[in-house]
Amino acid sequence: MKITVIGTGYVGLVSGTCFSEFGHEVTCVDKDASKIKALENNIMPIYEPGLDSLVARNVEAGRLNFSTDLKTAMQDAKAIFIAVGTPSRRGDGHADLQYVFAAIEEAASYIEDYTLVVTKSTVPVGTGARIKARLSELLPAEKFDVASNPEFLREGAAIEDFMRPDRVVCGVDSERAHDVLRELYRPLYLNETPIVFTNRETAEVIKYAANAFLATKISFINEIADLCEAAGADVQEVSKGIGLDNRIGSKFLHAGPGYGGSCFPKDTRALVSTADQYGVPLKIVRSVVEVNEERKRAMAAKVIKACGGDVAGKRIAVLGLTFKPNTDDMRESPSLDIIPTLQEAGATIHAHDPKGTEEAEKLLKDVTFHNEPYSTMQDADALVILTEWNQYRALDLDRARKLMKDGILVDLRNIYAKASPDKHGFTYTGIGRGA
Ligand code: NAD
């Protein structure tokens, strides 16, 4: 089937490429000409493991194209996927839908034959109905349907998640829309992936409910970590002890510096804001947002406390800047709160990240960025681990300690909790380890 994907970011590029891998003919469109030019030269505008070879293979097979020209891209397309950003709107936390509606308006002018318009972007419940209403003003009803097909992929494992998802959710209000999506996802039926067909509103709520639930697990375990610290317990053992219960599950129970990224922060805020509009106070999700915001502030205070209550004039080595490993995405990363707070308190920051430096350079001021972890530690008073990249899991602690002036290790991901860093001359502070 021929399809067009509007928005060639983390979601659009991965979904478009994976649909082409399924055998469909895909054109990915972006208004950012530099992204399209890079892709035409097989240079990925984002870091996602395995993406470059999958793109190259499908481009070579003639199933995957990139363009800035939506009109040409939409010729003969049976479905268009909207995969543009839905960031937080300034002030009220609602999802900013301006990019979605700009894409819809433009696409509407090129629809000739029946086309299924699918939102892959995360949009608040009721957006599909608004899109339908807007398209009805521009086009005859028989020319289009509007479906919701929210995306659940995780950055860093996006290809695996798209090709072998836990489930696919499709919100439709017509047989025709159902048939188009069923045909598109047919390769997944073959390996028995659950495909949940429901109405559009339900699909829209499923996406936010899923993200809010996962964010809730994170804020929950972060609060439990604080209790563990105060009461002499160990949060990692608590996570294990509760996670072994199948009703709870072990995922998303790692205490840390708070959730970040392009989805959980904005989606939890948007869900609260949407529910407010419907007169439904989502008290749990509201608390999750509050706990997470406080968490990031508390982490800077934790580093300062570990440094004896004062970081003025101190040199701090930071390992990891992205919100999680295996991505270059810096959006709402805890590092963007923690580092400026340490700088305001007088610290000098030296930092390393395997993939995030290019983005971080745009967002963080007065940080010295290094190409490898050990040079960040030279003459440092403290070492802070912010992101659990694999390459930080087996650092040579003796070498690290020799490079550093003072042996303060603040491990906000608990990756050295069991490695006895004190034996290597470090004073260790982890998360939720009161024992
Ligand atoms: P992104 O910012 O990486 O990409 C969006 C792209 O859309 C940009 O390249 C931008 O130039 C392009 N764009 C915007 N308006 C356009 C237009 N009118 N025409 C053509 N291109 C246009 O965003 P993302 O991270 O891929 O997220 C996209 C959506 O998917 C969001 O709603 C997000 O919440 C959702 N989502 C993201 C993830 C994730 O892990 N990033 C996972 C699931 C869902």
Side-chain angles (χ1 to χ4, degrees):
M1 187 187 302
K2 186 159 184 252
I3 64 168
T4 310
V5 179
I6 306 181
T8 309
Y10 290 86
V11 164
L13 179 55
V14 170
S15 340
T17 304
C18 291
F19 274 132
S20 70
E21 178 73 5
F22 288 168
H24 301 300
E25 200 184 318
V26 182
T27 306
C28 290
V29 177
D30 206 289
K31 60 177 185 182
D32 182 341
S34 65
K35 277 191 184 176
I36 297 301
K37 193 158 191 265
L39 283 161
E40 283 169 347
N41 293 306
N42 199 32
I43 298 166
M44 298 301 109
I46 55 166
Y47 172 69
E48 182 59 46
L51 187 61
D52 46 1
S53 53
L54 200 64
V55 167
R57 182 160 82 225
N58 284 287
V59 167
E60 204 177 320
R63 291 188 296 261
L64 180 61
N65 294 290
F66 301 102
S67 177
T68 51
D69 176 9
L70 184 59
K71 184 176 183 187
T72 314
M74 277 181 56
Q75 261 164 24
D76 304 324
K78 269 199 166 170
I80 55 167
F81 282 80
I82 310 294
V84 301
T86 49
S88 273
R89 197 163 65 188
R90 249 169 232 258
D92 62 5
H94 200 72
D96 185 347
L97 297 175
Q98 62 166 308
Y99 306 104
V100 170
F101 279 94
I104 294 288
E105 301 268 337
E106 193 188 347
S109 56
Y110 306 134
I111 288 177
E112 286 173 2
D113 301 322
Y114 173 81
T115 307
L116 180 62
V117 177
V118 190
T119 47
K120 221 174 211 333
S121 298
T122 303
V123 293
V125 60
T127 304
R130 281 180 58 200
I131 292 173
K132 186 172 179 175
R134 180 62 188 131
L135 287 176
S136 302
E137 292 167 1
L138 303 168
L139 294 165
E142 68 278 8
K143 292 276 184 194
F144 72 93
D145 275 313
V146 178
S148 164
N149 173 221
E151 184 49 58
F152 299 94
L153 62 77
R154 292 163 301 167
E155 288 173 16
I159 293 168
E160 176 68 15
D161 284 351
F162 197 94
M163 302 298 284
R164 273 170 283 279
D166 291 338
R167 77 323 203 168
V168 171
V169 172
C170 299
V172 294
D173 65 356
S174 80
E175 246 342 271
R176 235 172 156 182
H178 177 280
D179 293 348
V180 172
L181 284 171
R182 202 188 141 85
E183 177 61 18
L184 267 167
Y185 282 107
R186 198 164 47 85
L188 294 183
Y189 276 90
L190 302 178
N191 59 21
E192 298 187 356
T193 301
I195 315 255
V196 179
F197 274 96
T198 180
N199 67 29
R200 234 177 7 231
E201 285 71 21
T202 308
E204 290 167 341
V205 173
I206 288 172
K207 173 64 195 174
Y208 280 97
N211 275 0
F213 191 82
L214 295 172
T216 302
K217 279 186 102 175
I218 295 173
S219 278
F220 173 82
I221 201 66
N222 283 339
E223 283 202 314
I224 295 293
D226 288 345
L227 174 62
C228 289
E229 262 170 44
D234 180 338
V235 75
Q236 284 189 290
E237 303 287 321
V238 173
S239 293
K240 193 173 170 193
I242 62 173
L244 285 167
D245 184 329
N246 284 334
R247 294 168 301 176
I248 296 172
S250 60
K251 304 265 174 72
F252 286 79
L253 286 180
H254 300 288
Y259 58 77
S262 65
C263 294
F264 288 2
K266 78 168 176 64
D267 292 348
T268 44
R269 286 193 296 265
L271 180 58
V272 168
S273 170
T274 305
D276 278 348
Q277 286 177 344
Y278 283 91
V280 180
L282 290 187
K283 291 185 202 160
I284 293 174
V285 186
R286 196 182 292 279
S287 301
V288 166
V289 173
E290 275 169 28
V291 167
N292 198 60
E293 279 164 9
E294 279 164 23
R295 185 88 191 153
K296 293 182 188 176
R297 285 193 289 276
M299 290 302 105
K302 191 180 187 72
V303 174
I304 294 171
K305 188 174 170 210
C307 292
D310 186 8
V311 291
K314 290 195 175 154
R315 177 169 164 167
I316 298 180
V318 172
L319 294 185
L321 298 167
T322 51
F323 79 100
K324 67 172 182 179
N326 294 323
T327 182
D328 57 352
D329 201 340
M330 284 292 299
R331 287 177 283 187
E332 302 212 31
S333 176
S335 65
L336 298 177
D337 286 274
I338 296 168
I339 289 176
T341 309
L342 295 175
Q343 289 173 319
E344 274 162 34
T348 308
I349 305 292
H350 287 250
H352 172 262
D353 189 279
K355 295 290 174 191
T357 307
E358 202 180 317
E359 267 313 294
E361 276 172 343
K362 298 178 202 159
L363 300 166
L364 290 164
K365 301 268 167 298
D366 302 321
V367 171
T368 307
F369 294 97
H370 292 250
N371 292 329
E372 57 90 35
Y374 291 101
S375 62
T376 61
M377 301 170 203
Q378 186 72 51
D379 300 324
D381 295 281
L383 172 61
V384 179
I385 298 173
L386 279 188
T387 317
E388 69 279 31
W389 284 91
N390 271 344
Q391 72 180 87
Y392 303 150
R393 287 178 184 272
L395 292 171
D396 179 342
L397 291 181
D398 288 330
R399 180 179 169 197
R401 182 63 193 90
K402 277 189 199 128
L403 287 168
M404 290 173 62
K405 202 154 84 189
D406 201 352
I408 295 162
L409 173 56
V410 185
D411 175 8
L412 299 184
R413 302 291 181 170
N414 278 345
I415 57 180
Y416 284 98
K418 302 265 186 260
S420 308
D422 50 318
K423 287 192 191 135
H424 303 268
F426 282 99
T427 311
Y428 181 77
T429 305
I431 295 275
R433 295 175 52 78

